[in-house]
Amino acid sequence: MSNQENLETTLSALGITALNEMQQQANTAIQDNNEVLLLSPTGSGKTIAFLLPILSLLKADVDQVQCLIIVPARELALQIEQVWRKMSTGFKVTCCYGGHDMQTEIRSLSEPPALLIGTPGRLLDHMHRQSFSYRSIFTLVLDEFDKSLELGFQEEMEEIVNNLRNIKKKILVSATAGPKIPGFVRFQNPAEIDFITNRNEKSGLTVVQVLSEDGDKMDTLVKLLSYLGNESTMIFCNLRDSVERISAVLKEEGIECAFFHGKLEQEDRERTLIRFRNGSVLFLAATDLAARGLDIPDMKHVIHFELPMKGDEFTHRNGRTARMLTEGTAYVLMSNEERLPEYIKPKPQILELPGRLKLPPASVWTTIYISGGKKNKLNKMDIVGFLIQKGKLEKQDLGLIEVKDNISFAAVSKSKVKPMLSLIAEEKMKGKKFKIEVAR
């Protein structure tokens, strides 16, 4: 099969017809150069941009790790793993990150993957345990490397990189303009693909101010969400306590809002993102952990309930909307005592909210949990067929379905959930009875 045919097959598996300009340039640069710096905004498709050329570098007859991808957060590791699995390459991938069962990872590494993705601390732990050989690692990717450094992983990353003696190709990836390249990478003359600085295309982002007469700003947030209606919206804060408080206060007001921050258990973080992705919950209050590196669809609205200290984080938050020439709005919520930071220029227009507004309507979807996944030989079509045939649902009653290794989730029309659960209570799917219930 020719390279072009291989590319077309992979793109088909990913569900896309062609690479965008950034992906084309990155594909060529990574294949032709041993040092590459890839800078492109959140949501522009950077993961595919570096995974495609990596696939062409892997050798089927090498039974050791050949490519190492270091990431700052477990969500990004899982997202890259998911894209790789979608590509159906035939090459094994393993993900390692804090909070994941160590013995499960060690067992997986005993049959070495071609592609190993992980967070710095956990990867270094495996190196100390000698869980895998790094003799055959010829390609190194540091994805969102500036975020890893910002989170204090410099020492771990430096030790990992110093241990990799046979690296031939280094790829650094970021969504930040002009990031400082760490010395331990030892870049000599990197090829640079920069789709952040001096971008020619007009940004579709509009920034507006929403003023609050009270310092608490919660009443104004309720008004703003009522004004925006039932469209997916992220509400950014600096502090975990603020995120949880917003969720609790909005619930008291009759608005369901999930929350997301770094101290949540991994399972809770994943389930929150699943409910937000499939529209079961329309509003998500989050810290800057959710500003990049997460698999969340583009949305029209981003609210800054608390403004970040740095302009870069403001940019990353806004990257959740107005991606790739679409349009979106960032709402800067401010009390009378607050002042606009220097990084917001020019001064945004002020949005005057109407006096009387109805609360936003609740989501029409509910997320259903299923106690089986890929390892139980379940796929999306099995779940669709089962819920339509046995649960008497129509196609329009089913939303996004996500099948994980051992569990699955499906968005179902809220009005149909109770009768559907009653109908399938004693039914088997593919000859086996699974636990199916409303996801917590």
Side-chain angles (χ1 to χ4, degrees):
M1 196 182 285
S2 70
N3 283 344
Q4 185 58 34
E5 287 172 323
N6 274 331
L7 178 63
E8 286 170 8
T9 302
T10 306
L11 292 184
S12 174
L14 288 166
I16 57 179
T17 52
L19 298 177
N20 62 35
E21 188 187 347
M22 178 275 292
Q23 291 166 335
Q24 290 172 11
Q25 288 191 29
N27 192 23
T28 304
I30 291 169
Q31 297 205 50
D32 293 350
N33 299 274
N34 288 332
E35 297 175 344
V36 176
L37 176 63
L38 173 58
L39 307 175
S40 193
T42 298
S44 55
K46 293 190 293 296
T47 302
I48 292 170
F50 64 75
L51 286 183
L52 274 175
I54 282 171
L55 173 57
S56 68
L57 298 169
L58 299 180
K59 294 180 169 58
D61 58 351
V62 176
D63 62 351
Q64 297 294 337
V65 180
Q66 298 178 57
C67 174
L68 181 67
I69 302 177
I70 306 177
V71 296
R74 62 192 89 178
E75 284 81 12
L76 183 53
L78 291 165
Q79 182 184 318
I80 296 169
E81 178 190 38
Q82 188 179 18
V83 174
W84 185 263
R85 290 191 190 281
K86 258 191 184 176
M87 287 167 64
S88 304
T89 65
F91 286 100
K92 182 182 174 182
V93 60
T94 293
C95 238
C96 299
Y97 50 85
H100 195 214
D101 181 61
M102 176 61 81
Q103 292 309 312
T104 299
E105 292 181 357
I106 290 170
R107 281 195 296 275
S108 182
L109 290 168
S110 66
E111 293 179 21
L115 187 70
L116 176 57
I117 310 161
T119 50
R122 181 53 67 96
L123 286 172
L124 190 56
D125 196 343
H126 280 296
M127 279 187 158
H128 291 160
R129 292 168 185 258
Q130 299 183 324
S131 304
F132 64 95
S133 164
Y134 25 98
R135 285 196 311 274
S136 299
I137 298 178
F138 300 122
T139 305
L140 172 68
V141 180
L142 304 184
D143 193 9
E144 300 283 12
F145 70 92
D146 54 313
K147 187 70 176 174
S148 292
L149 295 170
E150 202 178 292
L151 292 171
F153 290 129
Q154 169 143 350
E155 285 184 18
E156 291 91 336
M157 291 167 75
E158 189 163 357
E159 187 175 341
I160 291 168
V161 173
N162 288 340
N163 273 313
L164 304 175
R165 303 293 171 84
N166 299 321
I167 294 293
K168 293 177 180 173
K169 201 173 284 283
K170 300 172 200 167
I171 305 156
L172 266 61
V173 184
S174 175
T176 302
K180 187 180 178 186
I181 309 297
F184 62 80
V185 176
R186 292 187 280 279
F187 261 5
Q188 303 295 322
N189 187 27
E192 192 169 311
I193 308 295
D194 187 349
F195 272 71
I196 298 176
T197 313
N198 301 324
R199 280 192 293 163
N200 292 324
E201 70 265 22
K202 184 180 181 294
S203 170
L205 177 71
T206 303
V207 180
V208 298
Q209 265 183 292
V210 180
L211 300 181
S212 174
E213 289 181 11
D214 63 290
D216 184 51
K217 299 191 288 192
M218 283 303 308
D219 287 346
T220 309
L221 177 62
V222 172
K223 268 190 183 180
L224 178 56
L225 293 178
S226 302
Y227 173 77
L228 299 179
N230 61 339
E231 291 189 337
S232 289
T233 302
M234 291 189 74
I235 307 159
F236 280 106
C237 301
N238 298 329
L239 304 172
R240 292 192 293 266
D241 288 350
S242 305
V243 161
E244 294 195 17
R245 179 173 171 267
I246 283 172
S247 177
V249 172
L250 289 179
K251 189 174 182 181
E252 287 172 14
E253 294 286 341
I255 301 173
E256 188 179 6
C257 175
F259 63 87
F260 183 92
H261 58 65
K263 284 295 178 184
L264 286 175
E265 292 293 326
Q266 176 62 23
E267 186 183 347
D268 292 331
R269 280 155 71 167
E270 286 181 30
R271 289 190 181 209
T272 296
L273 291 179
I274 285 165
R275 291 176 65 224
F276 188 58
R277 273 198 294 268
N278 69 26
S280 294
V281 62
L282 297 169
F283 307 117
L284 179 65
T287 59
D288 285 330
L289 179 65
R292 50 179 165 160
L294 295 185
D295 181 16
I296 300 174
D298 192 15
M299 61 200 70
K300 288 185 180 176
H301 312 294
V302 164
I303 298 171
H304 300 272
F305 187 82
E306 295 171 342
L307 281 166
M309 297 296 289
K310 296 179 181 175
D312 278 350
E313 286 307 326
F314 183 71
T315 303
H316 290 311
R317 290 177 178 188
N318 293 341
R320 286 291 164 203
T321 187
R323 295 184 194 170
M324 303 304 283
L325 305 183
T326 60
E327 293 186 352
T329 305
Y331 301 85
V332 178
L333 192 50
M334 301 189 73
S335 67
N336 291 331
E337 296 82 50
E338 291 178 290
R339 293 288 168 264
L340 272 177
E342 285 291 313
Y343 59 72
I344 301 182
K345 285 181 180 175
K347 186 177 179 180
Q349 286 192 317
I350 293 171
L351 172 68
E352 299 283 354
L353 294 173
R356 288 187 175 185
L357 289 163
K358 286 184 180 176
L359 290 178
S363 170
V364 297
W365 299 104
T366 295
T367 301
I368 299 302
Y369 161 85
I370 301 163
S371 67
K374 292 172 190 169
K375 291 189 175 176
N376 307 95
K377 302 290 191 288
L378 286 185
N379 59 39
K380 285 184 186 179
M381 294 317 296
D382 296 326
I383 294 169
V384 169
F386 177 75
L387 295 179
I388 287 175
Q389 289 165 26
K390 303 293 185 183
K392 305 300 180 193
L393 296 180
E394 302 290 331
K395 276 189 179 176
Q396 62 267 27
D397 296 325
L398 279 170
L400 184 70
I401 294 172
E402 296 194 38
V403 183
K404 307 294 184 185
D405 282 347
N406 299 301
I407 55 177
S408 302
F409 298 91
V412 174
S413 290
K414 196 172 280 183
S415 59
K416 302 293 179 72
V417 170
K418 199 171 178 181
M420 182 270 293
L421 289 176
S422 177
L423 285 167
I424 63 173
E426 301 304 321
E427 298 288 350
K428 292 181 179 179
M429 184 167 23
K430 294 192 84 169
K432 185 178 176 186
K433 192 160 185 318
F434 293 99
K435 184 177 183 180
I436 301 176
E437 61 188 13
V438 174
R440 59 176 175 79

